[in-house]
Amino acid sequence: MTSRIPYRTLSGTSRLAGVMGWPVSHSKSPRLHGYWLAKYGIDGSYMPLPVEPKNFQDALKSLRNLGFSGVNVTIPQKEMAMPECDELSDRARRIGAVNTVTFAKDGRVLGDNTDGFGFIENLRQEAPDIDFASGPAVVLGAGGASRAVLVALLDEGVPEIRIANRTRKRAYDLATEINDPRIKVVNWPLDPADLADALLVVNTTSLGMVGQPKLEIDLEGLPKTALVTDIVYAPLITDLLAQAKKRGNPVVDGLGMLLHQARPGFHRWFGIDPEVTPELREFVLSPD
Ligand code: ATR
C-alpha cells in the first residue's frame, strides 16, 4: 500500500542555500527562508551551516563546488567573506562586509550586503510616508550595524546624520572612512539640541537587547513626528521604542530589517522576490 508523504521532498534539481556562522544555532534565517520555500512551493532547501572561522574559506569553496546557489554569512564571518569574493557589490564594499553570497554559473563568487536595504525597506513598509530627505537622522552606535545603516541613509538622500557612540573615536573613524560631509559626530549621551529637529532616531547599539543593559536616553525635545526605530528585535518593543511610543512618536521595531534583508538572497537563489507579511513575522517569532 502506498501512503501519501505529508511534506515536500527534494528533487535531483533542488536549489540549495543556507547560512554560515559560528555559532549559527540562534539564527532565524532557516525558519524565515523555510517559510518562503513552503509558501511559494519551491523545490529547494535552506540550511543552518555551523562553520568555525578557521574553516571558513574551505567551506565557502566547498559549497560552491557542491552546487549551492548561495549562502548568507553571519557573525563573525561577514568581514572574512570580503576577500573571498571575486566581485563585490558597491554597497558591500562601502559597508565593508558581506552578508549574502551568490555562486554564479561560471563559478565566480559574488558578495553583497543587504543589511542597509533591509533597514530602509522595513521603514518604507512600516512608515510609508517617510521622506528621508526631509530632515536629519540621529544614529546611536558605530559598529558594523551602524555602518550599514549610515550607508543606506546616505543613499536615501538624508541631509545630515548625527552619530553618537560611547567610544567617540570609533564614531570618528567610521565618519572618516565613509567620508561624507553629511555625517557629524555628536556627544554620547546625546545633547537635547541634537534631537530637536530630527526626522529619525535609530538605535544600532546592542543596548536594550535581552541580556544587555538598557539604553538610557532622554527623548525630551524630540519632535513628536520623529520616527524612532531600533535594530534590536529581542525584545520586539525595546525600552527605547516603549518610551518613544508613550510620548506619541511613531515607532518601527527591528524584526522587519531581518526579514527584508533576506529578500535579495532569496530572490537570487530561488527566483522569487518574497513578501514580508504579518503572518511571516508571527511565524519567525514563534518558537521552533
Ligand atoms: P554590531 O556589529 O552589531 O554593530 P559591534 O560592532 O560590537 O556590533 O557594535 C556594538 C555597538 O554597541 C557599538 O556602537 C558599541 O559602542 P562602543 O563602540 O563604545 O563599544 C555599542 N555598545 C555596546 N555596549 C554598550 C554599552 N554598554 N554602552 C554603550 N554602548 C554600547
Side-chain angles (χ1 to χ4, degrees), residues 121-143:
E121 288 288 296
N122 182 33
L123 296 191
R124 278 203 203 294
Q125 185 171 42
E126 300 295 326
D129 294 335
I130 190 162
D131 173 10
F132 292 102
S134 67
V138 175
V139 175
L140 308 172

Side-chain angles (χ1 to χ4, degrees), residues 141-146 165-167 170 188 204-207 213:
S146 170
N165 195 53
R166 173 182 62 177
T167 312
R170 218 171 159 204
W188 173 282
T204 75
T205 74
S206 46
L207 295 174

Side-chain angles (χ1 to χ4, degrees), residues 126-278:
E126 300 295 326
D129 294 335
I130 190 162
D131 173 10
F132 292 102
S134 67
V138 175
V139 175
L140 308 172
S146 170
R147 204 174 162 125
V149 165
L150 294 178
V151 166
L153 285 174
L154 290 170
D155 286 350
E156 292 301 319
V158 285
E160 184 176 316
I161 303 181
R162 301 168 186 153
I163 325 180
N165 195 53
R166 173 182 62 177
T167 312
R168 200 180 175 92
K169 180 174 182 312
R170 218 171 159 204
Y172 274 120
D173 290 348
L174 189 53
T176 307
E177 258 183 75
I178 297 180
N179 190 25
D180 188 297
R182 289 174 288 168
I183 301 181
K184 295 195 167 67
V185 176
V186 300
N187 286 336
W188 173 282
L190 281 173
D191 292 332
D194 290 320
L195 287 173
D197 56 348
L199 170 81
L200 175 69
V201 176
V202 188
N203 174 44
T204 75
T205 74
S206 46
L207 295 174
M209 195 185 286
V210 175
Q212 298 291 321
K214 196 175 151 180
L215 171 62
E216 304 284 352
I217 182 172
D218 185 357
L219 296 178
E220 177 91 32
L222 180 70
K224 293 275 163 59
T225 51
L227 182 67
V228 178
T229 186
D230 205 320
I231 68 155
V232 169
Y233 60 84
L236 206 50
I237 299 298
T238 58
D239 286 322
L240 169 67
L241 296 188
Q243 192 188 333
K245 215 168 166 177
K246 198 165 160 201
R247 64 193 295 282
N249 287 86
V251 302
V252 175
D253 68 60
L255 181 64
M257 177 175 173
L258 170 79
L259 306 181
H260 284 281
Q261 65 75 33
R263 282 173 40 211
F266 191 90
H267 192 188
R268 271 171 226 143
W269 309 325
F270 302 115
I272 286 176
D273 182 9
E275 233 190 328
V276 172
T277 58

Side-chain angles (χ1 to χ4, degrees), residues 31-174:
R31 200 166 165 78
L32 163 58
H33 285 265
Y35 176 94
W36 282 330
L37 287 168
K39 172 173 174 171
Y40 296 108
I42 293 171
D43 180 18
S45 184
Y46 183 102
M47 287 162 261
L49 302 165
V51 176
E52 281 190 57
K54 69 178 168 58
N55 296 327
F56 177 74
Q57 281 96 340
D58 286 348
L60 195 68
K61 283 199 184 77
S62 300
L63 290 173
R64 184 193 60 189
N65 296 343
L66 286 165
F68 270 58
S69 300
V71 277
N72 285 124
V73 177
T74 185
I75 290 165
Q77 294 159 6
K78 284 184 167 187
E79 283 85 16
M80 291 176 75
M82 296 268 293
E84 304 308 314
C85 293
D86 299 306
E87 206 177 289
L88 289 170
S89 66
D90 178 56
R91 60 192 181 188
R93 196 173 300 113
R94 288 160 66 217
I95 294 169
V98 161
N99 76 339
T100 305
V101 173
T102 300
F103 302 118
K105 290 221 163 54
D106 62 7
R108 279 176 320 131
V109 179
L110 315 177
D112 190 10
N113 190 311
T114 64
D115 286 334
F117 168 87
F119 172 74
I120 297 291
E121 288 288 296
N122 182 33
L123 296 191
R124 278 203 203 294
Q125 185 171 42
E126 300 295 326
D129 294 335
I130 190 162
D131 173 10
F132 292 102
S134 67
V138 175
V139 175
L140 308 172
S146 170
R147 204 174 162 125
V149 165
L150 294 178
V151 166
L153 285 174
L154 290 170
D155 286 350
E156 292 301 319
V158 285
E160 184 176 316
I161 303 181
R162 301 168 186 153
I163 325 180
N165 195 53
R166 173 182 62 177
T167 312
R168 200 180 175 92
K169 180 174 182 312
R170 218 171 159 204
Y172 274 120
D173 290 348
L174 189 53

